[in-house]
Structures are given as C-alpha cells and as structure tokens.
Amino acid sequence: MTRQSQRADAPFVAQCVRTDARVATTTANEVVKFYRRRQQLIDTDIEWVTAEHRAVSQAPTSGGVVHVLRELDDYFQSGVPLGILAAAMSKQGQTVKDTLADVHDVRMDGSLWEPRSDHLRSV
C-alpha cells in the first residue's frame, strides 16, 4: 500500500514532520505502520493530526506510558493497540517516535508485555 486516501471521515490522521505527507485511516495501528515505513525511508517522525476514539479522548494528559496504558486497558480485551497508545501520548506532546522509544524502554525493564503484535498490556 502506498499512500492512503485523506478522507474527511477517517478517525485517525497523522503527518510526517519532514515532508507533511499524511495518512488517514480507520485504525490507529495503520499510523504506526506509516511511521515505520517513513522511518526506514527517510529517518523522520510522525505527529498526530486527529485521533477520534473514546479511549484517546478519555486518556490522561499526564503520566508516563505505563500509567496511560493502564488507563486505556479497560477499553480493550486483547491489549491496547500501539497506535491508540501513541495517539493518547500525543495529548502529552509526544510524537509516534517518542512513544515507541518509551515503549521500548518500558518493555526492556519488564513493565509491559505484548499479548499480540502491536497490542500492549502492563504487567
């Protein structure tokens, strides 16, 4: 898939900080995939434009990744989608790259696990 359409009704929209290329999609994890592709190609970052999801709108505006993850956990039965976590962390000024770096650090200290690909739970 190359560039996704920029439909006005897409609940998740993000853009590349270097090129302003945008992704508009129905799933937050597609934004993470977009980030990974852009990162491999041009070593850049992605910022959220909109993230319309009940969990994101109810997410705390302070606290670290583990705190936010715990708050989001009630909304999802099989782990919080990584994209939802990244969108929630954007309320604290974090980019997708910032969030993924924090997730990596927390994963290394054993404070979270991945019940399935790109879905997280705190320990």
Side-chain angles (χ1 to χ4, degrees):
M1 176 177 2
T2 55
R3 189 171 175 169
Q4 296 183 5
S5 68
Q6 295 183 30
R7 297 185 337 248
D9 63 337
F12 301 101
V13 179
Q15 75 180 31
C16 177
V17 298
R18 184 181 286 176
T19 66
D20 292 333
R22 284 187 173 213
V23 61
T25 183
T26 57
T27 66
N29 276 357
E30 277 300 317
V31 171
V32 173
K33 290 177 185 176
F34 177 72
Y35 162 77
R36 288 175 176 152
R37 288 189 302 268
R38 303 295 296 178
Q39 180 65 18
Q40 286 179 341
L41 293 172
I42 60 173
D43 189 27
T44 189
D45 203 351
I46 303 297
E47 293 179 326
W48 287 90
V49 176
T50 59
E52 297 173 17
H53 189 282
R54 186 175 45 135
V56 174
S57 65
Q58 299 297 315
T61 56
S62 63
V65 133
V66 173
H67 172 70
V68 173
L69 187 62
R70 285 186 180 133
E71 293 296 315
L72 298 176
D73 194 55
D74 290 341
Y75 292 94
F76 304 95
Q77 291 184 338
S78 26
V80 176
L82 184 55
I84 293 289
L85 177 62
M89 293 304 293
S90 74
K91 293 173 66 175
Q92 298 181 30
Q94 289 201 357
T95 63
V96 173
K97 184 177 187 174
D98 296 335
T99 301
L100 293 183
D102 287 352
V103 165
H104 174 77
D105 292 345
V106 172
R107 183 180 287 146
M108 290 295 114
D109 79 8
S111 297
L112 62 82
W113 64 289
E114 198 170 6
R116 62 187 179 120
S117 181
D118 287 341
H119 289 74
L120 306 169
R121 281 246 152 95
S122 63
V123 175

